[in-house]
Amino acid sequence: MERTAVNPRDWSLKLGYNQAEVTRGAARQVVCAGQTAVDGTGAPQHPGDMRGQIGLALDNLEAVLTAAGMGLGDVTRLGVYATDVDEALKNFDLLGMRFGQYNSAPPMTLLGVTRLAIPGLMFEIEATAAV
């Protein structure tokens, strides 16, 4: 698959994402439901710790992608939901570290929400990936 970044202006690159990407030649696509900071039984982890929740949500996203035969480098779109956008942004270096190792900066949207489905969760990330 070929991916071409589209950034008419480069402001989003400083935040770690492309404004758009053109993809060609994708044979398979996976759409991942929102992943959060839960353990294998679905129990919330890292209460009150945005950084811990982002890290575990990324681990869970990577596990879903791996089970689908893909990885973080195959992600073409992210949707991010946070109960505290400012706190999430302070910890977005975690996304940069995880996606940066694949030279990937998928287009994303970050939305502030009043709460997530499970009380105590502060961060949720959904993804679309293609190969």
Side-chain angles (χ1 to χ4, degrees), residues 33-59:
Q35 298 299 306
T36 59
V38 295
D39 65 13
T41 68
Q45 303 295 304
H46 307 292
D49 177 8
M50 180 68 78
R51 190 168 188 84
Q53 288 200 15
I54 291 172
L56 184 52
L58 287 167
D59 289 346

Side-chain angles (χ1 to χ4, degrees), residues 28-33 64-65 67-71 74-77 127-131:
R28 248 178 1 107
Q29 179 178 342
V30 64
V31 178
C32 301
V64 169
L65 291 167
M70 296 188 192
D74 300 315
V75 171
T76 58
R77 172 121 175 72
T128 301
V131 292

Side-chain angles (χ1 to χ4, degrees), residues 46-118:
H46 307 292
D49 177 8
M50 180 68 78
R51 190 168 188 84
Q53 288 200 15
I54 291 172
L56 184 52
L58 287 167
D59 289 346
N60 289 338
L61 175 60
E62 193 163 21
V64 169
L65 291 167
T66 298
M70 296 188 192
L72 292 176
D74 300 315
V75 171
T76 58
R77 172 121 175 72
L78 292 171
V80 177
Y81 306 89
T83 59
D84 184 337
V85 170
D86 293 329
E87 191 62 25
L89 286 171
K90 288 178 191 174
N91 293 284
F92 256 43
D93 63 306
L94 292 173
L95 276 80
M97 287 187 286
R98 298 291 280 275
F99 286 93
Q101 62 185 311
Y102 302 102
N103 293 322
S104 180
M108 82 168 70
T109 299
L110 169 60
L111 294 173
V113 297
T114 56
R115 63 163 283 190
L116 295 170
I118 300 173

